[in-house]
Amino acid sequence: MNATLSHSRFGPFVTRHLGPREADVAEMLEVLGYPSLDALIDAIVPVGIRLRKPLALPAARTEQESLAALRAMAGTNQVFRSYIGLGYHDCHVPGVIQRNVLENPGWYTAYTPYQPEIAQGRLEALLNFQTMVSDLTGLEIANASLLDEGTAAAEAMALTMGAAPHHDDPVYVVDRHCHPQTIAVVSTRAEARGVKVIVTDVAGYSFGPGDAGCLIQYPNTLGAVIDHRGIVERVHAVKGLVTVATDLLALALLAPPGEWGADIAVGNSQRFGVPLGFGGPHAGFLATRDAHKRLMPGRLIGVSRDREGHPALRMALQTREQHIRREKATSNVCTAQVLLAVMASMYAVYHGPEGIRGIAEQVHGRTARLAAALRAKGLKLASDAFFDTLVVETDAATATAIHQSARARKINFRTVSATQIGIALDETVSERDLQDLFEVFSLESPVPSTQHPAPGIPAPFARTSPYLTHPVFRSHRSETEMLRYIRRLEARDLSLTAAMIPLGSCTMKLNATAEMVPVSWPGFGAMHPFAPREQTEGYQQLFRDLETWLAEITGFSRVSLQPNAGSQGEFAGLLVIRAYHRARGEEHRTVCLIPQSAHGTNPASAVMAGMKVVVVKTDAQGNIDLADLRAQAEANAKNLAALMVTYPSTHGVFEDGIAEVCSIVHKHGGQVYMDGANMNAQVGLTRPGDIGADVCHLNLHKTFCIPHGGGGPGMGPIGVAAHLAPYLPGHPLVESPATASGTVSAGPWGSPSILPISWAYIAMMGPDGLTEATRYAILNANYVAKRLEGHYQTLYSGHAGLIAHECILDCRPFKVSAGVEVEDVAKRLIDYSFHPPTVSFPVAGTLMVEPTESESKEELDRFCEAMIAIREEIREVESGAAARGNNLLFHAPHTLRLVTADAWSRPYPRERAAFPASATRQHKVWPTVGRIDGAYGDRNLVCVCPPVEEYAGVNGEQ
């Protein structure tokens, strides 16, 4: 296959997705010393694992054809008015937020804020989210989002186990009136880690010393508002923790859990301006007492300061994270739901406390009017205390007739049981909608809109405390001010709209506009996740296509789309392996072999799945040490469950011995789990299933173009070999075979509304285009490594010094020669208007660079020239021309405020600090704060919006 791009062969979309042009490819290959791209790939990818035939995928479609096909799918989804509830409610997405956040690449193409100096906008939006959650729940500290309500509740259970007194056989009590999908996710997670779950009516349960804690829902899944204070007292009496799954909009009117003794609150912020999306993506939340902050899962945004003493934001307490603590981490969560958390926080900023209360009162008022009319009709309600959900109790025949009458009007109710009908109202319910509900129930005397029936919130449950009191929630009432606020925050971040983000292991590639367009269509966005199956044919077609295509790409038999993050894919894959061993009577197989170089999520996921981690050494070249693997496999043969391996390796190399690695594990009864983080170097060239893997997760937010969203959303579906297919995850509200390994996400298909992105990418690239993308990714990475040769040492490489799709640059020698740390190099790169590569992973003191196939030769050269210029700045220190500890790198990054200040005491010119390359004069991304003091922020932890005086400081620099 020659390195020539043509519209006739690949189609116009492929030529726009790939960065280098034909002439560029020729020049790059000349630098590398290879006559063709074929020759380069042949020298890199081991011949024994190469794919022998093209991928059996449909031919590439044009953008117009792809969008037409997706529009047809969306059109076959029947979007009824769904009053199903179960934690999912329709809402109005403010236009200024939809256009300027959800549909804005300045927000959706940004990366996780590990480089806070160029992420202050997202960090402020996330701090707003934490403040909003903390205010509404009445608890001191909240995280920056979790994956959904079900997994948030499961994380709360894990936090409870970490905080509660040690029990040999811990018990976790779950109220039977929690949402069924939440019960399923919590039960799956608990069983894997050896925690017994008792699902019961908590009100009548007698708590004892073995009970670590409990989960209750407020309002519960039937809509009832119940006084839980007595339960809290009984749980606390046995030193347990109480978690409350709750609804943020309800808490605008209800007394918050923190005020009546709850220790943890979890939920879903979806109804704060995020589309239903057939179940996701949505931002889950978790709030807790300050005493538990170091046990919290996920990311936490805190207020710190930069070197100049100015307030600055960063991710706090990062030492809790799985990339550092590995198997000792509090959670395996890596991807959060940043984009959706930003939307929810902006919804609160847009409406303010009065607006949020007004929406809550409108929803509750209409629910109360419906309740009054139903009672007048003589119908019985399950509870007299409610917020927005009613359960009508009747006989089976009447219930069937009501459902039929509702469907005739394109209305969905929840079928609670054969005799119970659930009706959940939301902010989109109009007077016309309410009239339709009256007609469904044949209510002859509708309650007039001017009449105020008895409220469903008795006085003891009513909220009296204020919320959203910070100025940020009170200062942007006009759309003009709201628009400017969103844009002001966007300008403080570096996204793919500004420059390459060359992060190793993260694959920040083009997220084409044509791929993103369908996400906003009502046919995909307005669907309730538990709408009747016959109304969702468009989504079912989308799922069938994607599952079939991904199975072909990976070489596996079946695919599950349920995991809504890579970390959840890891967990789900290990649960499948565990279920397989159990079905064979080998429950004792619990040992998981993990190479030293593995992602930190791997050991964290293994522990979460109830496995024991045994580390396998890597050799001097960064490959798995086959001798140690054999020794560990033999020593643990009786109990070997799995090996977790990343391919190409975490060190960016196609290991020749990968087939033998799989063979060794299989020989000793284990299964091979392949981490799909580096699938961008495999597609079309080789397949995990052909190599010998049994299960593999795919990061759709990496290889398959779902954007990172500033740290989420993500998707982590898993593919499995035929013998593992019966054990794929199930879901209690859709399908859960007896052999299923459990439920890993609240939604049956994870985050479906972003799946059109990956569908469009695969459809428009076609089999040849996908393969060419892989080849270009490998070409670009090798070109960068070759251009930097002589300036930086590439730490690991394969044959002839070649790498896969990413390389590790060794910065450790500079610490000795010039006192320059890897962080200094990374921060100086910000001055050149680049996002730094991955720092100190997988090897401390290094930078891991992954350019991706979407970057042009011009951008690659600009990056290489910046890195070479930084190397020259290091040489100045090495030669004594610049002072150690007082040089361009040590003080980087340089802010506009600093370089335009009246005083300048640095031993180098302002111009070199601010405009180190000619390209920065044409386009400059300024860091809004100087280098941040992380230790200060951790010692003085502030995770809600600071007082107004400090807040002005955080926002003072544009």
Side-chain angles (χ1 to χ4, degrees), residues 123-376:
L123 288 166
E124 180 172 322
L126 291 175
L127 192 71
N128 293 345
F129 178 83
Q130 291 178 179
T131 303
M132 172 189 82
V133 171
S134 180
D135 279 6
L136 288 168
T137 61
L139 290 162
E140 295 94 332
I141 192 166
N143 64 17
S145 81
L146 289 170
L147 300 172
D148 55 37
E149 182 169 334
T151 54
E155 296 288 355
M157 181 271 297
L159 189 160
T160 297
M161 295 304 145
H166 177 73
H167 299 295
D168 292 333
D169 297 301
V171 173
Y172 194 67
V173 183
V174 177
D175 188 68
R176 66 185 182 90
H177 291 122
C178 292
H179 294 318
Q181 70 272 20
T182 301
I183 296 173
V185 174
V186 170
S187 297
T188 298
R189 189 81 67 88
E191 193 278 335
R193 62 178 292 157
V195 176
K196 180 182 179 181
V197 168
I198 295 176
V199 180
T200 184
D201 186 342
V202 172
Y205 182 79
S206 297
F207 289 91
D211 298 321
C214 77
L215 172 67
I216 52 182
Q217 190 106 29
Y218 172 77
N220 70 22
T221 192
L222 302 181
V225 177
I226 297 170
D227 188 348
H228 295 297
R229 290 176 176 85
I231 294 171
V232 171
E233 292 174 1
R234 283 153 44 208
V235 175
H236 286 172
V238 298
K239 302 188 185 306
L241 300 185
V242 175
T243 295
V244 176
T246 190
D247 180 316
L248 292 179
L249 189 63
L251 295 183
L253 302 182
L254 293 174
E259 290 183 7
W260 43 263
D263 303 286
I264 308 168
V266 298
N268 182 358
S269 62
Q270 174 266 317
R271 71 189 308 172
F272 271 36
V274 179
L276 282 165
F278 204 42
H282 307 138
F285 64 83
L286 185 151
T288 188
R289 304 287 179 191
D290 185 73
H292 305 312
K293 58 180 175 283
R294 294 187 182 275
L295 294 173
M296 288 184 73
R299 292 163 183 155
L300 192 62
I301 308 308
V303 181
S304 189
R305 65 185 183 189
D306 69 8
R307 281 183 170 175
E308 306 301 315
H310 301 297
L313 308 177
R314 67 181 282 271
M315 290 200 295
L317 300 180
Q318 292 184 49
T319 52
R320 301 171 305 118
E321 293 198 357
Q322 73 296 120
H323 287 302
I324 296 171
R325 298 204 70 204
R326 299 173 70 82
E327 68 270 17
K328 296 182 177 64
T330 56
S331 167
N332 78 331
V333 170
C334 184
T335 304
Q337 299 283 30
V338 170
L339 186 68
L340 299 316
V342 168
M343 289 180 67
S345 75
M346 291 297 182
Y347 181 90
V349 170
Y350 178 82
H351 287 292
E354 296 84 4
I356 295 295
R357 185 172 185 89
I359 292 168
E361 288 175 341
Q362 175 182 291
V363 171
H364 179 64
R366 287 180 173 155
T367 307
R369 287 167 56 201
L370 177 60
L374 289 167
R375 290 193 192 101

Side-chain angles (χ1 to χ4, degrees), residues 543 546-551 554 556 558-574 576 673-677 679 688 695-704 706 713-720 728-729 744-745 748-752 754-755 758-759 762:
F543 300 154
L546 264 182
E547 288 170 3
T548 301
W549 295 351
L550 294 175
T554 58
F556 286 122
R558 287 275 307 280
V559 169
S560 169
L561 299 171
Q562 189 176 127
N564 56 358
S567 59
Q568 302 309 293
E570 291 180 13
F571 177 59
L574 292 173
V576 167
Y673 173 93
M674 186 171 284
D675 186 317
M679 194 69 193
V695 56
C696 174
H697 90 264
L698 300 170
N699 294 109
L700 299 191
H701 52 288
K702 295 183 182 182
T703 305
F704 297 97
I706 291 175
M715 277 290 279
I718 56 172
V720 298
L728 286 170
V744 297
S745 298
W749 294 278
S751 296
I754 55 175
L755 291 177
S758 295
W759 189 99
I762 296 172

Side-chain angles (χ1 to χ4, degrees), residues 660-733:
E660 186 176 358
V661 166
C662 296
S663 177
I664 291 169
V665 175
H666 288 150
K667 177 183 175 182
H668 293 90
Q671 298 286 287
V672 176
Y673 173 93
M674 186 171 284
D675 186 317
N678 292 343
M679 194 69 193
N680 209 47
Q682 283 198 50
V683 178
L685 300 181
T686 185
R687 304 192 301 182
D690 296 345
I691 292 170
D694 301 288
V695 56
C696 174
H697 90 264
L698 300 170
N699 294 109
L700 299 191
H701 52 288
K702 295 183 182 182
T703 305
F704 297 97
C705 286
I706 291 175
H708 280 63
M715 277 290 279
I718 56 172
V720 298
H723 65 283
L724 296 180
Y727 311 105
L728 286 170
H731 195 281
L733 295 172

Side-chain angles (χ1 to χ4, degrees), residues 816-835:
V816 176
S817 66
V820 171
E821 303 277 358
V822 65
E823 185 181 23
D824 298 327
V825 177
K827 301 305 182 186
R828 180 57 174 157
L829 199 53
I830 293 173
D831 287 331
Y832 287 80
S833 289
F834 278 107
H835 194 293

Side-chain angles (χ1 to χ4, degrees), residues 737-870:
T739 57
S741 54
T743 304
V744 297
S745 298
W749 294 278
S751 296
S753 67
I754 55 175
L755 291 177
I757 302 169
S758 295
W759 189 99
Y761 172 67
I762 296 172
M764 293 188 292
M765 293 294 283
D768 291 340
L770 290 169
T771 304
E772 203 69 356
T774 307
R775 286 151 51 90
Y776 271 51
I778 293 171
L779 169 67
N780 282 1
N782 279 277
Y783 176 71
V784 167
K786 188 68 175 180
R787 276 219 57 194
L788 296 179
E789 198 174 79
H791 303 283
Y792 300 87
Q793 179 185 350
T794 298
L795 196 57
Y796 300 110
S797 59
H799 299 296
L802 298 170
I803 56 170
H805 65 308
E806 59 191 0
C807 60
I808 298 175
L809 304 178
D810 193 357
C811 296
R812 293 172 297 183
F814 308 145
K815 183 174 182 178
V816 176
S817 66
V820 171
E821 303 277 358
V822 65
E823 185 181 23
D824 298 327
V825 177
K827 301 305 182 186
R828 180 57 174 157
L829 199 53
I830 293 173
D831 287 331
Y832 287 80
S833 289
F834 278 107
H835 194 293
T838 303
V839 178
S840 288
F841 175 82
V843 180
T846 67
L847 296 173
M848 185 158 63
V849 181
E850 181 182 354
T852 86
E853 72 274 11
S854 294
E855 297 302 339
S856 66
K857 181 176 179 294
E858 291 81 2
E859 187 73 350
L860 299 179
D861 284 335
R862 189 170 76 89
F863 172 76
C864 291
E865 286 156 9
M867 290 296 292
I868 291 168
I870 291 171

